[in-house]
C-alpha cells in the first residue's frame, strides 16, 4: 500500500467528491501531496491517514500524526505554511492557464499555484464555495449573446470580484480534413445521419452548443452522439480524426494539433479570469495583473494559433 499513489482524478472518484474539492484539501494541507511534473499525486498511506483523521481515528496508535518520520515529505501547503507562503488554485483546461501558472510561480514571491483542470461553470461554483482562487471561464449566455458576465453576475450577487480578460479565440466545428461533408453553420447540425462527439456538461463548448441548438430549434435527442462525451478538447478532436465522429465543437489550436482535422470558425469566444477581492488577495491579484500585461507573457500567448490578445489584461468588470 505504501508504494501506491493516486492522481487527483482518482481520489475524486474514490471519495465521490469533485476534483476542485480535492485540490482544496491539498491547498489547505489536509491532504498530503507531492508534484510529479504538472500532476499532483497522493500516496495511498496519506489518503488512508486523511480518512482516519476525518473519522477521528489516530493514523498510528503508537504515534501522533504530527510526529511524522523525517523521511516523509509533507505536502506543499504544509511547507508553504512553514515558509510564510501561500498556495492558490487556478482552474481551467486551456494551455494559456498553464502558461499563466508558470509565470506566477516564477515571478510572484510567496505564492505557489496549483492547477485544477475543471470546466467553466463548475469553476465558478467552486470559486463561490471558496475552493479555488482564480477561475477561467468562457460561457456564452444564449439570451444576451454575451460571454461570462451574465453568469458571473448571477452567481456572485453581493460579492466583490474582479473580471479580467485572458484572451479571445475562434470557436467552431472540428471536422475531417478537407471538410468532406461541407459543414459551415449551426443549421448543418440538422442533417440526418450526422455523427457528433460532445463535451461534458458545464464546460464552455457544451454550453455554446446547447445555446445554439436552442436558438436554431434543434432538439438534442435527434443528434447522433450528443450523449457521447469527452473530458477534454483533444478527446473530441481524436474522435473526429479517427472517423468515429463527423463533427465536434472546439478551437483552432486543437485542430492544428491533429493531421486529419480541420477547423470551421463560427464564433469568437472570450476567455476571462475571475477573482474574489479579499484583503489577503490584494497583493497577488496586483501581481497577476502585471503578469497579464507583461511582454513575456503576451509573447507566449501570441504563438498559440488563433489567439487574440488585444484585450488581455483589460478589466471587464469590477465590483
Amino acid at each position: 500500500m505504501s508504494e501506491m499513489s493516486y492522481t487527483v482524478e482518482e481520489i475524486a472518484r474514490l471519495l465521490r467528491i469533485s476534483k476542485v474539492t480535492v485540490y482544496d484539501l491539498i491547498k489547505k494541507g489536509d491532504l498530503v501531496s507531492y508534484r510529479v511534473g504538472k500532476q499532483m499525486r497522493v500516496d495511498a498511506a496519506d489518503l488512508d491517514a486523511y480518512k482516519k483523521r476525518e473519522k477521528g481515528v489516530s493514523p498510528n496508535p503508537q504515534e501522533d500524526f504530527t510526529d511524522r518520520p523525517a523521511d516523509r515529505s509533507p505536502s506543499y501547503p504544509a511547507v508553504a505554511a512553514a515558509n510564510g507562503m501561500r498556495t492558490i488554485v487556478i482552474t481551467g483546461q486551456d494551455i494559456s492557464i498553464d502558461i499563466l501558472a508558470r509565470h506566477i510561480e516564477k515571478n510572484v514571491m510567496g505564492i505557489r499555484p496549483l492547477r485544477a483542470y475543471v470546466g467553466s461553470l463548475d469553476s465558478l461554483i467552486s470559486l463561490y464555495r471558496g475552493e479555488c482562487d482564480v477561475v477561467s471561464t468562457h460561457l456564452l449566455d444564449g439570451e444576451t449573446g454575451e460571454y461570462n458576465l451574465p453568469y458571473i453576475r448571477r452567481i456572485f450577487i453581493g460579492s466583490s470580484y474582479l473580471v479580467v480578460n485572458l484572451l479571445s479565440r475562434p470557436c467552431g466545428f472540428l471536422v475531417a480534413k478537407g471538410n468532406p461533408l461541407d459543414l459551415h453553420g449551426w443549421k448543418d447540425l440538422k442533417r440526418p445521419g450526422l455523427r457528433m462527439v460532445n463535451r461534458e456538461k458545464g464546460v464552455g463548448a457544451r454550453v455554446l452548443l446547447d445555446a445554439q441548438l436552442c436558438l436554431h430549434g434543434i432538439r438534442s435527442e435527434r443528434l447522433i452522439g450528443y450523449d457521447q462525451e469527452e473530458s477534454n478538447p483533444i478527446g473530441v478532436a481524436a474522435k473526429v480524426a479517427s472517423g468515429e465522429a463527423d463533427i465536434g465543437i472546439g478551437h483552432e489550436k486543437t485542430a492544428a494539433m491533429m493531421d486529419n482535422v480541420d477547423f470551421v470558425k463560427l464564433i469568437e469566444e472570450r476567455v476571462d479570469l475571475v477573482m474574489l477581492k479579499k484583503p489577503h488577495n490584494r497583493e497577488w491579484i496586483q501581481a497577476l495583473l502585471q503578469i497579464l500585461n507583461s511582454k513575456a507573457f503576451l509573447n507566449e500567448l501570441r504563438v498559440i494559433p488563433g489567439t487574440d490578445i488585444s484585450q488581455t489584461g483589460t478589466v471587464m468588470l469590477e465590483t
Side-chain angles (χ1 to χ4, degrees):
M1 181 177 178
S2 62
E3 296 179 356
M4 293 177 59
S5 66
Y6 299 103
T7 65
V8 169
E9 291 77 9
E10 289 169 338
I11 291 175
R13 287 196 296 269
L14 287 169
L15 299 182
R16 296 184 180 181
I17 58 178
S18 72
K19 290 186 288 185
V20 173
T21 301
V22 178
Y23 278 107
D24 187 48
L25 293 173
I26 293 173
K27 169 187 171 184
K28 293 176 180 177
D30 294 335
L31 192 57
V32 178
S33 67
Y34 57 95
R35 189 188 300 203
V36 179
K38 294 182 179 179
Q39 191 179 70
M40 301 300 297
R41 299 194 70 88
V42 174
D43 286 339
D46 291 319
L47 176 60
D48 186 58
Y50 164 76
K51 290 191 288 186
K52 287 181 178 178
R53 289 201 310 278
E54 291 302 299
K55 292 177 182 178
V57 179
S58 175
N60 187 335
Q62 305 300 323
E63 174 188 327
D64 186 85
F65 183 73
T66 56
D67 297 323
R68 300 177 61 88
D71 61 344
R72 292 295 300 277
S73 298
S75 67
Y76 177 74
V79 175
N83 294 333
M85 297 182 70
R86 178 188 171 188
T87 58
I88 62 173
V89 176
I90 308 176
T91 72
Q93 299 178 332
D94 192 75
I95 188 174
S96 59
I97 311 299
D98 293 321
I99 295 172
L100 176 61
R102 190 171 69 249
H103 277 263
I104 292 173
E105 187 167 18
K106 180 180 178 181
N107 297 298
V108 184
M109 297 295 293
I111 294 295
R112 179 73 177 270
L114 289 177
R115 289 282 288 109
Y117 296 87
V118 184
S120 294
L121 189 56
D122 287 344
S123 292
L124 289 174
I125 294 171
S126 297
L127 181 63
Y128 177 81
R129 291 173 176 169
E131 297 171 340
C132 55
D133 302 281
V134 183
V135 160
S136 69
T137 180
H138 51 104
L139 295 170
L140 176 68
D141 180 58
E143 294 183 1
T144 64
E146 185 179 12
Y147 264 95
N148 303 323
L149 299 186
Y151 290 89
I152 295 168
R153 291 189 179 103
R154 287 194 290 265
I155 293 174
F156 297 101
I157 296 175
S159 298
S160 182
Y161 55 82
L162 180 68
V163 184
V164 185
N165 179 250
L166 176 62
L167 55 85
S168 295
R169 60 191 180 189
C171 187
F173 292 157
L174 300 180
V175 299
K177 195 71 175 179
N179 194 7
L181 298 180
D182 199 30
L183 302 170
H184 293 287
W186 298 108
K187 291 183 179 180
D188 290 333
L189 295 176
K190 294 181 179 180
R191 291 188 191 179
L194 192 69
R195 301 167 303 154
M196 78 167 304
V197 56
N198 210 347
R199 289 294 307 279
E200 72 273 25
K201 293 179 180 178
V203 303
R206 177 66 170 264
V207 171
L208 172 62
L209 173 64
D210 289 343
Q212 296 300 330
L213 293 180
C214 182
L215 288 172
H216 291 87
I218 304 173
R219 297 174 62 179
S220 61
E221 59 266 27
R222 293 189 175 182
L223 289 176
I224 300 172
Y226 178 84
D227 294 327
Q228 180 184 337
E229 299 178 354
E230 292 291 329
S231 61
N232 58 76
I234 297 298
V236 174
K239 291 290 185 182
V240 174
S242 67
E244 296 178 64
D246 300 315
I247 191 171
I249 309 300
H251 305 105
E252 183 178 0
K253 73 176 189 310
T254 306
M257 298 171 65
M258 296 281 180
D259 292 335
N260 298 322
V261 177
D262 274 346
F263 175 71
V264 178
K265 180 181 176 179
L266 297 177
I267 192 170
E268 190 75 10
E269 179 180 76
R270 199 181 81 219
V271 183
D272 292 329
L273 300 176
V274 189
M275 295 154 279
L276 293 180
K277 293 166 57 180
K278 298 181 179 180
H280 61 276
N281 289 350
R282 295 187 185 279
E283 289 189 7
W284 68 255
I285 286 178
Q286 288 303 314
L288 187 148
L289 292 176
Q290 292 177 8
I291 289 172
L292 291 175
N293 288 282
S294 69
K295 184 177 180 180
F297 178 70
L298 293 174
N299 283 342
E300 288 197 56
L301 290 191
R302 189 176 284 112
V303 301
I304 303 174
T307 300
D308 179 359
I309 59 172
S310 61
Q311 288 188 296
T312 300
T314 300
V315 175
M316 312 306 293
L317 180 63
E318 185 172 8
T319 63

